[in-house]
């Protein structure tokens, strides 16, 4: 269903701070979006980025790497910038699990 004007954001663009986020998504509501990563979009306004909708695979989990995974991997794994759009006619259900180290863990790039 198309509506006039843009949909308001449900959750503003952000990166997850922890190590991994494991997400069970609602199969019927496609509202999670990830910014397409390019070296050119580091200083681009959020509204001008190329956003890709993550369409859940039934029975599958969506995994986001976070800032800690990016640091520990010395940048090999990126923490994706993502947001959640609202849908004017569908309710979105999701169940995130945040997998993070203990608070006293020292986070630095691992030796390779």
């Amino acid at each position: 269903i198309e509506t006039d004007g843009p949909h308001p954001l449900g959750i503003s663009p952000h990166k997850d701070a922890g190590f991994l986020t494991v997400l069970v998504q609602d199969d019927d509501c496609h509202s999670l979006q990830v910014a397409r990563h390019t070296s050119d979009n580091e200083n681009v306004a959020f509204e001008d980025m190329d956003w890709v909708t993550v369409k859940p695979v039934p029975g599958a989990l969506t995994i986001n790497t976070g800032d800690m995974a990016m640091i520990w991997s010395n940048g090999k794994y990126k923490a994706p910038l993502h947001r959640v759009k609202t849908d004017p006619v569908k309710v979105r259900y999701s169940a995130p699990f945040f997998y993070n180290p203990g608070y006293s863990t020292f986070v630095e790039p691992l030796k390779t």
Side-chain angles (χ1 to χ4, degrees):
I1 295 175
E2 294 295 319
T3 60
D4 294 335
H7 296 244
L9 285 177
I11 300 175
S12 296
H14 68 282
K15 294 179 180 181
D16 293 343
F19 183 68
L20 286 177
T21 301
V22 180
L23 181 67
V24 176
Q25 290 193 83
D26 188 333
D27 294 340
D28 298 323
C29 187
H30 306 156
S31 55
L32 176 63
Q33 294 185 326
V34 177
R36 188 178 305 277
H37 181 78
T38 67
S39 58
D40 299 334
N41 71 356
E42 294 299 322
N43 296 314
V44 175
F46 293 142
E47 60 271 8
D48 296 330
M49 289 185 168
D50 184 19
W51 292 95
V52 178
T53 300
V54 178
K55 295 182 180 169
V57 175
L61 300 172
T62 300
I63 309 294
N64 269 350
T65 51
D67 289 337
M68 287 185 187
M70 193 166 79
I71 293 167
W72 273 332
S73 71
N74 205 15
K76 181 174 182 176
Y77 299 105
K78 305 292 184 204
L81 182 66
H82 57 285
R83 67 184 184 183
V84 178
K85 302 287 278 188
T86 60
D87 188 306
V89 295
K90 291 184 180 178
V91 176
R92 176 182 184 258
Y93 295 98
S94 67
F97 173 78
F98 302 102
Y99 185 74
N100 300 318
Y103 288 110
S104 63
T105 303
F106 188 70
V107 179
E108 65 180 338
L110 298 174
K111 292 181 173 49
T112 57

